[in-house]
Amino acid sequence: MQTIHLLHSLEDATWEQSKVPQVLILGHFDGIHQGHRHVIKRAVAYARQEGLIVGLMTFHPHPKGVFGRPGYDRYLTPLGEKERQLEALGVDRLYVVQFDTVFAQITPTEFVHALCRLDATRVVCGFDYRFGHRGAGTADMLREEGKHCFSVDIIEPIDQDGAKVSSTRIRECLDRGDVSRANELLGRPYMLRGEIVHGEKRGRAIGYPTANVQPEEPYYIPKLGVYAVRAEVRGETYDSVLSIGLKPTFHSHILEPVVEAHLFDFHDDIYGETMTIYLEKFIRGEEKFNSVQELIDQIHRDSEEAKTYLRSLSK
């Protein structure tokens, strides 16, 4: 998949240089959840039928983050992860438009004219797609304004439990530790990826060595606590228990959550390797223990619960 970064200026030559007949998908697509996949699959099917490439346009950074919404400096699928997942879904070209307060001022008509310069023959978007200053442009307006350049397919939402599948719902699920529901909405386990770095090695001293994972991109961090997970490293996947927290038993000054995975029956040296963590179940919230022995006893219980749950998924 080719990634093309477009400047916020709609007159920038890069827009014209990127011109190619294509089916163009519009949306932010944070999470690449079931609703997003529904839109993408429709576009890919049509493009393959017509012998066209599939383009997808997203904005970066997140518009809500640019305007100061808390939490939107982190992503369910940061840009690198988004690229990997979109390529796997059949997208041929990703347009990443630089979003800032200047770009936010363009009118819906100006944005549609810019899309015409990309030579899309068909544009695909969700029913609630908004664009232009203050989100004044709607999917119906896109169809009317762009009718001389392209046709528009407006895709209806995917519902679950009577509500639209959305990135906002997924974030809310992760905030309360409802990983099972978040994974249902995503259509896959929520994941974090990062490099295994040296930590305090305290886990090794108490009999539960952990891999300290430094997220490689600004992933959205779920509720602090303990999770049953699967950890992938060196092409192999291991049942594991994960802690995301501020380590209150030992510290009172940590500001950023520490991500530590204990891989069952695993003893290799993997410092410097990349690990991908797939969250399967929330076990409990973060706690402060009165003694190290209390912590060890709880880790043992957490590990047994994680093992039992993960084994049940394999049956």
Side-chain angles (χ1 to χ4, degrees):
M1 183 181 74
Q2 180 185 19
T3 298
I4 297 174
H5 292 267
L6 300 175
L7 296 178
H8 66 254
S9 171
L10 301 183
E11 303 306 318
D12 183 77
T14 309
W15 289 73
E16 189 69 34
Q17 294 165 1
S18 302
K19 184 174 183 177
V20 62
Q22 62 187 297
V23 176
L24 182 64
I25 311 166
L26 301 178
H28 187 71
F29 297 99
D30 186 27
I32 319 293
H33 56 59
Q34 289 199 64
H36 295 150
R37 290 167 185 266
H38 180 56
V39 173
I40 293 167
K41 287 177 181 177
R42 284 279 295 271
V44 169
Y46 179 80
R48 300 298 180 252
Q49 177 184 329
E50 298 298 318
L52 299 171
I53 73 165
V54 180
L56 185 146
M57 179 177 288
T58 188
F59 303 113
H60 189 78
H62 199 299
K64 291 180 181 178
V66 170
F67 290 107
R69 281 280 296 276
Y72 281 91
D73 56 343
R74 293 184 174 272
Y75 302 85
L76 301 174
T77 45
L79 188 56
E81 184 58 41
K82 185 181 292 187
E83 289 178 297
R84 286 186 285 270
Q85 294 203 27
L86 291 176
E87 182 171 25
L89 289 170
V91 174
D92 302 299
R93 178 179 281 194
L94 174 64
Y95 297 100
V96 181
V97 180
Q98 176 187 328
F99 192 91
D100 56 20
T101 55
V102 176
F103 184 83
Q105 300 300 314
I106 70 169
T107 67
T109 298
E110 289 173 329
F111 182 65
V112 172
H113 288 169
L115 294 182
C116 290
R117 296 171 63 194
L118 296 178
D119 200 23
T121 63
R122 177 173 296 213
V123 170
V124 181
C125 65
F127 79 105
D128 57 351
Y129 183 67
R130 306 302 292 258
F131 60 97
H133 184 52
R134 295 186 179 275
T138 65
D140 287 333
M141 183 185 296
L142 178 66
R143 175 178 283 163
E144 178 61 27
E145 293 273 347
K147 63 185 178 183
H148 299 298
C149 297
F150 45 73
S151 61
V152 176
D153 282 357
I154 302 173
I155 311 300
E156 292 303 309
I158 294 289
D159 289 347
Q160 194 169 92
D161 302 326
K164 183 186 74 168
V165 175
S166 70
S167 300
T168 298
R169 282 186 68 192
I170 294 166
R171 286 170 176 258
E172 291 170 350
C173 289
L174 294 174
D175 286 344
R176 62 176 183 266
D178 193 351
V179 172
S180 298
R181 178 55 57 84
N183 290 351
E184 289 175 5
L185 297 173
L186 284 165
R188 59 179 176 82
Y190 184 63
M191 56 160 290
L192 306 167
R193 187 194 309 269
E195 181 184 353
I196 301 168
V197 299
H198 289 277
E200 298 174 330
K201 297 181 173 60
R202 201 183 297 271
R204 186 181 305 277
I206 63 175
Y208 288 93
T210 60
N212 191 318
V213 181
Q214 178 65 50
E216 63 186 14
E217 295 188 274
Y219 286 92
Y220 193 77
I221 301 299
K223 181 177 179 178
L224 302 187
V226 178
Y227 295 81
V229 304
R230 288 197 164 109
E232 181 181 319
V233 63
R234 293 177 177 169
E236 299 291 335
T237 302
Y238 303 89
D239 288 357
S240 312
V241 64
L242 178 77
S243 169
I244 303 177
L246 304 178
K247 306 173 75 170
T249 302
F250 300 106
H251 299 283
S252 60
H253 63 278
I254 294 179
L255 300 179
E256 285 293 322
V258 177
V259 179
E260 296 178 289
H262 170 63
L263 283 59
F264 303 137
D265 304 316
F266 184 87
H267 308 286
D268 290 355
D269 182 349
I270 48 176
Y271 290 116
E273 300 280 354
T274 296
M275 179 179 287
T276 304
I277 300 167
Y278 302 95
L279 278 65
E280 297 287 359
K281 181 188 178 183
F282 179 75
I283 294 177
R284 64 173 176 84
E286 184 171 49
E287 301 176 44
K288 181 176 181 179
F289 296 93
N290 294 320
S291 69
V292 173
Q293 187 58 51
E294 280 189 18
L295 173 61
I296 293 172
D297 293 342
Q298 184 61 57
I299 293 175
H300 177 73
R301 291 190 290 269
D302 296 338
S303 297
E304 291 304 307
E305 182 173 346
K307 288 176 182 178
T308 299
Y309 180 76
L310 294 169
R311 279 197 297 265
S312 74
L313 296 181
S314 302
K315 293 180 179 179

